[in-house]
Amino acid sequence: MARRKKGRAISGIVLVDKSQGSSSNHILQRVRAIYGAEKAGHTGALDPLATGMLPVCLGEATKFSQYLLESDKTYIVTAKFGQRTDTSDADGEVVETHDVNITEQQILEFKKTLTGPIKQIPTMFSALKHNGQPLYKLARQGITVEREARPITVFSFELLRFEGDEADFEIHCSKGTYIRTLVDDLGQMLGCGAHVQALRRTKVANYPIDKMLTVDQIQQLKDDNFIDGDESNGVDYIVLDSHLLPMDSALEELTRIEVTADEVKTLRHGQFPARQMPDQEDLKAYQIETGEFIGVVSIRRGEIRTKRLVVTENFL
C-alpha cells in the first residue's frame, strides 16, 4: 500500500487578508491546502469578527512563528458606545444599555489613561487557559474566574472619527493586548459602555499591507496556473510560490550573524562550534559563503548554540 503523500516541502510566509466571519484556523487550513504544504501555522489568531493581516507560515517557517506572535500589531477599530456585551464585541449578547452623552474631548482625555505601559485584565472570551481549559469555554458555561492583570504597552491610541454613538481608532500595541478590552474599558470610563463593532488588523511587525492576499485571491492564483487541475508538475506552483515572503522576514528585529560552511555542518550534527563573542540570545544566522538563512542561534560561553535550525534536503 502506497504511503499517503503528506504535502510539499515548501517554506515561507504568506500574508493573508482574513475575511470577516471566518476563524483563523479555517483560514490556515485553506491556505495550507491551496499550497499543498506539509505543515502550516498562523502567528496570532484573529477573532471571527475581525479582518486583516494574518501571516501564515508554511513549512520550516513555522519554527519562527513565535517571533511574529511577540511582535507589535496595529489595528483600526470601530467602537460603538451605549452598549456593553458579554464578549466586548458585536458577536456577544448585550448586557448593559446606556444613553450616550459624551464629547470628543472626553474621549481624548480618557483614552490617554489607556496609552503607554499599562496593565490589562484579559477578557474571559480569550484563548488563555485556566487549569488547562481555555477561558472562552468556561465563559460559554457562565463561569467567570479571576484573571491576573498583565503588562502591555499601547504605543498609540489615535481617534480617527467620532460621530453620534460610534468612533474609529487606530491602535498600535504590544503583544497580548486585547482591543476588545481597551474599548470596553474606555466605555466604562465614559460612563456609557462600549463594544467593538468592527476590527481590522493593518500591521504585524513591519510587514507591508499591500502584500496581503485574500484566500479567494490565493485560490485564483492557483486555479489560473494549473493546467486542467493537474498538480503533478511542480512548475505550476511558481506563480503561487512567488507570493511567499522568506521565512527570515519574521526575524527583522534580530541581529545577524554569519557562520562558515564548516560551522553549519557542526551545528547540524548537534555540536557547538567555538565563537569568542559575548553571550547573546536570538541571533539570525546565515552561511557566509552562500548567504543562505540557517536559523536562529545563540552565543553561550564562547560557543554557538542552536535554537531553531532550518531543515533542507541537504541538511546533513
Side-chain angles (χ1 to χ4, degrees):
M1 183 176 177
R3 294 182 66 181
R4 183 179 177 184
K5 186 178 179 182
K6 293 183 178 179
R8 294 196 303 146
I10 183 69
S11 296
I13 299 170
V14 58
L15 299 183
V16 180
D17 188 350
K18 179 191 168 297
S19 57
Q20 187 173 358
S22 299
S23 72
S24 295
N25 187 60
H26 175 71
I27 296 292
L28 168 67
Q29 297 305 330
R30 281 198 63 190
V31 172
R32 177 184 181 181
I34 294 169
Y35 273 92
E38 284 182 322
K39 54 186 176 180
H42 62 64
T43 57
L46 284 169
D47 295 332
L49 173 79
T51 65
M53 189 176 290
L54 182 70
V56 172
C57 298
L58 303 178
E60 290 296 284
T62 58
K63 293 180 176 180
F64 311 104
S65 61
Q66 184 64 34
Y67 294 94
L68 291 177
L69 279 168
E70 295 177 355
S71 65
D72 299 346
K73 316 289 193 303
T74 300
Y75 301 85
I76 301 293
V77 57
T78 298
K80 184 173 181 61
F81 298 108
Q83 293 179 336
R84 292 187 77 203
T85 71
D86 56 358
T87 59
S88 300
D89 65 20
D91 284 342
E93 297 292 326
V94 175
V95 294
E96 291 181 23
T97 301
H98 302 276
D99 292 335
V100 180
N101 296 301
I102 58 176
T103 66
E104 182 171 324
Q105 189 58 40
Q106 288 175 312
I107 294 174
L108 294 174
E109 285 300 317
F110 281 116
K111 75 178 182 62
K112 287 179 183 178
T113 65
L114 296 171
T115 305
I118 61 174
K119 287 194 173 182
Q120 184 183 71
I121 298 175
T123 171
M124 276 297 299
F125 284 87
S126 70
L128 295 175
K129 292 186 177 180
H130 175 77
N131 295 333
Q133 278 271 42
L135 290 181
Y136 67 83
K137 287 189 176 181
L138 297 175
R140 288 170 183 166
Q141 298 171 40
I143 300 171
T144 301
V145 298
E146 288 281 330
R147 285 100 64 208
E148 188 174 338
R150 305 192 307 172
I152 61 168
T153 302
V154 178
F155 300 105
S156 64
F157 193 159
E158 300 299 324
L159 177 64
L160 304 178
R161 176 186 68 92
F162 173 49
E163 295 178 11
D165 62 355
E166 287 190 356
D168 294 337
F169 300 94
E170 181 177 64
I171 300 173
H172 174 205
C173 55
S174 66
K175 68 169 184 175
T177 302
Y178 288 93
I179 304 299
R180 287 176 290 158
T181 301
L182 281 179
V183 168
D184 182 71
D185 288 346
L186 179 62
Q188 291 290 85
M189 291 176 181
L190 290 165
C192 62
H195 67 267
V196 170
Q197 187 74 15
L199 181 66
R200 181 166 179 78
R201 187 156 69 190
T202 57
K203 199 169 185 181
V204 175
N206 290 313
Y207 281 131
I209 193 170
D210 62 353
K211 295 292 185 182
M212 288 196 301
L213 295 168
T214 66
V215 173
D216 288 344
Q217 287 173 325
I218 297 169
Q219 181 67 63
Q220 194 62 52
L221 282 170
K222 182 175 182 179
D223 293 345
D224 289 346
N225 289 281
F226 275 93
I227 302 172
D228 299 326
D230 181 14
E231 299 186 18
S232 62
N233 185 359
V235 73
D236 290 326
Y237 276 106
I238 289 176
V239 173
L240 192 62
D241 292 352
S242 71
H243 289 269
L244 289 175
L245 300 175
M247 66 183 86
D248 62 332
S249 63
L251 311 173
E252 187 172 300
E253 299 301 316
L254 300 190
T255 301
R256 178 187 178 109
I257 185 174
E258 294 185 327
V259 292
T260 66
D262 287 341
E263 287 174 327
V264 172
K265 189 173 182 179
T266 300
L267 289 168
R268 286 177 171 169
H269 280 87
Q271 299 170 337
F272 309 129
R275 181 65 73 91
Q276 296 308 310
M277 293 174 60
D279 285 4
Q280 190 170 345
E281 293 293 327
D282 295 338
L283 299 164
K284 52 185 179 183
Y286 297 82
Q287 185 172 329
I288 192 169
E289 294 89 348
T290 63
E292 177 189 3
F293 173 61
I294 302 302
V296 175
V297 301
S298 62
I299 304 294
R300 296 181 193 170
R301 299 179 181 178
E303 294 178 331
I304 304 175
R305 304 290 184 100
T306 58
K307 299 194 79 171
R308 295 280 189 276
L309 282 187
V310 175
V311 176
T312 60
E313 290 183 2
N314 58 347
F315 185 76
L316 298 178

